[in-house]
Amino acid sequence: MTRSFHQFSCEDALLAGTLDQGTKPIGLLIVSGGNEVKAGAHAGMARLANHIADQGFPVFRYDRRGIGDSSGINQGFLESCADIAAATEYFRTLHPGLTKIVAFGNCDAATALALFNHRIAVDQLILANPWVIEDNGGSAESPAAPPPSAIRSRYWARLKNPQSIIDLITGKIDLRKLAKGLRQATQKQDNKGLAIRLSESLARLKKPTQILLASRDTTARAFVAAWESKDFAGARSSSHIVIEKLDSASHSFADETSRRWLENHLLEALKNA
């Protein structure tokens, strides 16, 4: 595997990208989630790219504007369409033999790919744990509370664990926190603007799309609650979308089992593209 480093233009900024060379005509574009750099948390995306390229598929990663080695202002994932489009175009320039590009994103990168899919020249989408939680004033120091659906799912999982009953009886569980959590869990949940936008984009999708979910991850649980609501009826009826679930709480597929599951799904998509 040969890895090379590049710079390319996106509007008035200069973005940093990394190409893991491959000989096959199908390529993987990795879009980073959150404010992560192209290497990913603990270099997870760099390792993923290395593994995929070892199977012959070229992989391109990049830092969006204002992140990592890229210039410009970070305006968040909802303003990242131009970044994804520029990275896709540059990937094709670097590897002119490409016939198809599969785009992969986790969390809000998955949501961005879905929202902007009609404006970016990719052929297939792999969306992991799409982000549907509306920003309600949370911050890194005091994050926004997860939606009631995610809280209910978490408590249900704990109730099925005998150890939780023992912890309750022996006083290891904070009853005040438990009461607060139960109050939040019983609140009504309505899909907000972001979830509605995502539902409409998914319903209009015409590209083969896999949605990969770590079923015990809070973000994935929130997505499942939205997906099962009436607002996503059009998306659920789409013949272009397939959902796959893994019994894991790892949002970034960091443990060995989750990592291999993700790698296998990506490789299968690339081989069948």
Side-chain angles (χ1 to χ4, degrees):
M1 186 277 296
T2 301
R3 177 171 291 168
S4 55
F5 301 89
H6 305 268
Q7 288 186 316
F8 59 100
S9 297
C10 175
E11 297 184 348
D12 58 349
L14 200 59
L15 306 191
T18 302
L19 175 68
D20 289 70
Q21 295 282 1
T23 58
K24 296 184 178 180
I26 312 296
L28 177 68
L29 175 71
I30 297 180
V31 179
S32 296
N35 291 321
E36 286 184 357
V37 297
K38 57 186 175 296
H42 309 290
M45 291 300 100
R47 288 193 295 272
L48 175 64
N50 185 13
H51 178 76
I52 299 295
D54 279 345
Q55 309 305 309
F57 298 99
V59 183
F60 190 68
R61 299 171 284 124
Y62 68 97
D63 294 331
R64 77 165 183 252
R65 284 171 289 180
I67 298 293
D69 297 321
S70 293
S71 66
I73 299 173
N74 177 14
Q75 300 184 63
F77 75 98
L78 289 175
E79 299 296 331
S80 66
C81 181
D83 306 71
I84 302 171
T88 304
E89 181 180 348
Y90 189 72
F91 190 10
R92 292 188 185 276
T93 300
L94 281 178
H95 204 290
L98 282 178
T99 58
K100 289 185 178 180
I101 292 178
V102 176
F104 163 69
N106 186 34
C107 194
D108 61 27
T111 301
L113 282 170
L115 292 177
F116 307 134
N117 79 88
H118 59 292
R119 296 163 59 187
I120 54 179
V122 300
D123 304 280
Q124 187 168 334
L125 301 176
I126 309 291
L127 313 177
N129 303 320
W131 179 260
V132 296
I133 302 172
E134 198 75 19
D135 180 9
N136 58 2
S139 67
E141 293 75 23
S142 180
S149 59
I151 298 174
R152 286 193 293 270
S153 180
R154 183 174 64 197
Y155 274 105
W156 176 241
R158 292 184 67 181
L159 285 171
K160 293 190 291 184
N161 183 354
Q163 184 60 47
S164 296
I165 306 300
I166 296 172
D167 289 344
L168 181 62
I169 294 172
T170 57
K172 292 182 180 180
I173 292 179
D174 188 319
L175 294 179
R176 289 183 179 179
K177 289 184 178 179
L178 175 61
K180 180 181 178 181
L182 290 174
R183 285 197 300 272
Q184 292 174 328
T186 57
Q187 293 175 0
K188 182 181 178 181
Q189 179 180 328
D190 294 316
N191 292 320
K192 301 293 179 61
L194 178 60
I196 296 299
R197 284 183 62 187
L198 180 60
S199 71
E200 292 170 350
S201 293
L202 290 175
R204 294 195 302 266
L205 263 176
K206 300 301 180 185
K207 300 172 183 177
T209 299
Q210 284 190 58
I211 298 177
L212 305 181
L213 301 172
S215 60
R216 289 185 283 116
D217 168 58
T218 298
T219 301
R221 285 170 168 169
F223 173 79
V224 169
W227 176 262
E228 293 176 348
S229 72
K230 60 179 175 50
D231 294 318
F232 279 73
R236 289 196 304 273
S237 66
S238 172
S239 60
H240 299 283
I241 300 174
V242 174
I243 290 185
E244 301 287 350
K245 295 182 180 181
L246 174 69
D247 183 20
S248 170
S250 180
H251 178 70
S252 58
F253 304 93
D255 62 88
E256 182 70 14
T257 299
S258 300
R259 181 177 62 80
R260 291 192 178 279
W261 183 81
L262 174 62
E263 289 174 352
N264 289 339
H265 275 282
L266 290 174
L267 283 171
E268 181 180 2
L270 290 162
K271 291 173 181 177
N272 296 325

